[in-house]
Each structure stands twice: as structure tokens, then as C-alpha cells.
Amino acid sequence: MTKKRILFVVNPISGGKKKTAFNKQVLEVLDLSRFEPTFKITNHVNHAYELAKEAIQEKYDAVVAVGGDGTINEIGSALVGSGIPLGVVPEGSGNGLALYLGIPMNESAALRRINRFDSVAIDCAKAEERFFFNIAGIGFDASVSDKFANETFRGPIGYLRTVVNLLSKYKPKKYTLHIDGKKYEREAFMISVANSPQYGNNAYIAPNASINDGVLDVCVVHKFPLYTLPLMIFHLFNKTADQSEYVEIIPGKQICIEQEGQAPIHLDGEPMDLGKEINIEVLPKALNIIC
């Protein structure tokens, strides 16, 4: 029987975790009678994307992201439409998509899932020419992602520190939304476009979102008094954000967000500038993920 060739793309800095023993662990847990692993380490932005594109040309049977949502985004963006499945060993700060898919946070358990080699087709979303698979956002969370990208202190604690530092200073902004042909004008603290329900760390912004329903959930978080912050956090971690009076969720397939000034958007936690008008669409079941 011909062994399946799997490329493990390792992000050495994701989640602030050392991965020096990862290769050894793969050789201990992966079924080497069925799979032939290769390891490559990323060393610059977009390197995971480049390595995944090479894997398609070299006819690998799967590419595994060893990192967080940003690493998954790069590899998934390369694999969309290729038919080659994406595997995930969660090593990020939030691991939103992996948590939603039920992929274990434990390395050995995640590798045992890869041994099963079962995959599911998930929806993807496209913002202009860039893909995202979990959540895109504009407003406060994009500002957090932009600042966090330049922090040296990584991991969930570092992310929380960035949130706290920005929270009291951030001002809501005005947006015009066009969702499936209908126009909405909103002043919002932030707007999240969700393919899956959660940011990561089990914080659910769109509790009813699904990665295989062909629809995105546009979550508008309106301006809220700071004294209600504990309740907002409770809603996030209790899967009841849609019950908050400050949260409005609008489903859609074709979405355009117009912002007044120039501000970053994040795609799966990675900040970028896509201009003042951002067009987003859903691509049903465009990526296979091993889970």
C-alpha cells in the first residue's frame, strides 16, 4: 500500500509555545505504516501559504497547520479548491476554528485525529481577494489584532492585556452595510463577519453560525456602556451574545462594508488594510478539513 504523504507546516512562534519536540512526537503518534511525514518551518509572513502551494504541485495528500488561526488561514487559502485536505494541530492563542470543529487542543490527541484521516467540507469566505475561514472583523477587534501583531508578549494573556489597554480609548465608528441587497446604516463598536461561531478560547460572538450552511453571520456590536462589560463578557462565554440588546446579527451571502475613515480589518485574527469598502462573499464547501 502506498503511504499518504503529509506535509506538516510548523509556525515556531504561534501561541508563544516552543515546538522543538514536535517532530519527535509526530514520529511517535502518527501511523507510519500509512503516512509519510515531512516537516517544514515557517520563517516569514505568508511562508505557510507558499509552502502549501508547493505541496499542491508536489502532490502531497494533506497539509497540516501546526499553529494558530493565522497559520490555518495561510494554508487554507492555498488549498481552497485543490481537493487536498487541511489538517490542524492547534498551537495558537485562540484556536477558534479548531475548537469549533472539536479538534483536540492536546498535540497527541490532534495527531491521532489525523491518523483517522476523516475530513469534512467547510464553507470559506472571501474578503476582496483574501480568504478567511473563521471570523473577519472591523472596528475594535481589528484594532486589537493590529496592535497585538506588534506585541512581543504572545499567548492569551498577551491578547487580554492588549484588549484592556485599548478598551477605554476606543470610539465607535459609523458604517454602511449592504447585505444581500439590503442597506443598513449603523454606528458600531465593532462588526464581525462569522463563518464559525467563536473567536477562540470559547468566546462565541455568533452562537448559531455554521461552517457548512452557505451563509455568513454579520454581528454588529453597538456602542455599550462600560459598566455592562461584565455582562457582555458573560454573553460571549455563555453562547448567548445574540440575546444581548447591544448585539445585532444579520445573516447574508453577499456583504459590503463601507467605513468612513481608513482602519484595518482582521481576517482570522490577522490585521490588514483592504480599503474603505470591503466586499465579502461566502464560498460553500470550498475546503476540506481533517477532523
Side-chain angles (χ1 to χ4, degrees):
M1 183 179 74
T2 305
K3 293 182 182 181
K4 292 187 183 299
R5 298 169 64 229
I6 299 180
L7 175 63
F8 287 86
V9 177
V10 183
N11 181 339
I13 62 169
S14 62
K17 303 171 187 173
K18 289 185 178 179
K19 303 171 186 72
T20 49
F22 178 75
N23 294 16
K24 181 173 179 287
Q25 190 163 22
V26 170
L27 297 177
E28 289 173 355
V29 178
L30 196 69
D31 185 350
L32 299 180
S33 68
R34 296 167 54 222
F35 302 107
E36 180 186 325
T38 301
F39 304 93
K40 293 187 180 178
I41 296 173
T42 61
N43 56 34
H44 59 262
V45 173
N46 224 36
H47 195 191
Y49 176 88
E50 295 163 6
L51 293 172
K53 279 295 186 187
E54 290 172 8
I56 296 171
Q57 295 172 351
E58 294 167 10
K59 300 190 182 332
Y60 275 85
D61 296 290
V63 182
V64 176
V66 185
D69 287 329
T71 309
I72 291 169
N73 181 286
E74 286 192 24
I75 296 173
S77 296
L79 297 181
V80 165
S82 71
I84 296 175
L86 165 69
V88 178
V89 177
E91 298 280 10
S93 300
N95 303 308
L97 189 61
L99 282 165
Y100 172 66
L101 289 168
I103 296 171
M105 294 297 105
N106 175 273
E107 284 181 354
S108 293
L111 290 167
R112 285 193 289 273
R113 286 288 181 97
I114 292 167
N115 278 335
R116 293 186 345 199
F117 215 73
D118 293 333
S119 66
V120 61
I122 71 163
D123 300 338
C124 306
K126 197 173 186 182
E128 298 302 331
E129 295 305 310
R130 302 292 296 261
F131 292 104
F132 66 95
F133 306 93
N134 194 42
I135 292 178
I138 193 165
F140 178 73
D141 61 339
S143 295
V144 170
S145 294
D146 191 42
K147 185 164 176 55
F148 184 62
N150 298 309
E151 293 283 348
T152 53
F153 195 73
R154 307 296 292 174
I157 302 301
Y159 189 82
L160 182 61
R161 189 170 70 174
T162 304
V163 168
V164 171
N165 287 341
L166 280 177
L167 193 57
S168 60
K169 307 169 192 170
Y170 189 81
K171 304 296 182 194
K173 294 183 171 69
K174 292 182 179 178
Y175 302 92
T176 301
L177 307 172
H178 300 271
I179 302 173
D180 291 347
K182 191 172 179 180
K183 183 178 177 180
Y184 304 82
E185 292 186 346
R186 299 288 188 268
E187 184 176 19
F189 181 70
M190 66 184 195
I191 298 172
S192 295
V193 182
N195 187 36
S196 94
Q198 65 158 297
Y199 291 119
N201 296 311
N202 292 312
Y204 285 73
I205 185 62
N208 298 312
S210 167
I211 54 166
N212 50 24
D213 62 356
V215 176
L216 301 170
D217 283 18
V218 182
C219 310
V220 182
V221 179
H222 299 281
K223 182 180 179 181
F224 59 89
L226 268 180
Y227 71 81
T228 64
L229 183 61
L231 181 59
M232 296 290 285
I233 293 171
F234 171 80
H235 280 307
L236 276 176
F237 288 96
N238 201 43
K239 302 183 185 180
T240 54
D242 55 333
Q243 296 176 27
S244 168
E245 62 182 297
Y246 301 108
V247 177
E248 176 184 11
I249 298 180
I250 309 162
K253 298 179 180 180
Q254 296 281 344
I255 299 149
C256 176
I257 302 174
E258 298 174 13
Q259 56 176 329
E260 284 189 331
Q262 198 82 352
I265 184 172
H266 80 81
L267 305 182
D268 292 338
E270 301 298 313
M272 60 193 66
D273 182 5
L274 294 182
K276 291 185 178 182
E277 182 178 304
I278 302 153
N279 293 286
I280 299 171
E281 63 177 325
V282 64
L283 306 175
K285 299 185 178 178
L287 177 69
N288 294 322
I289 291 197
I290 298 168
C291 61

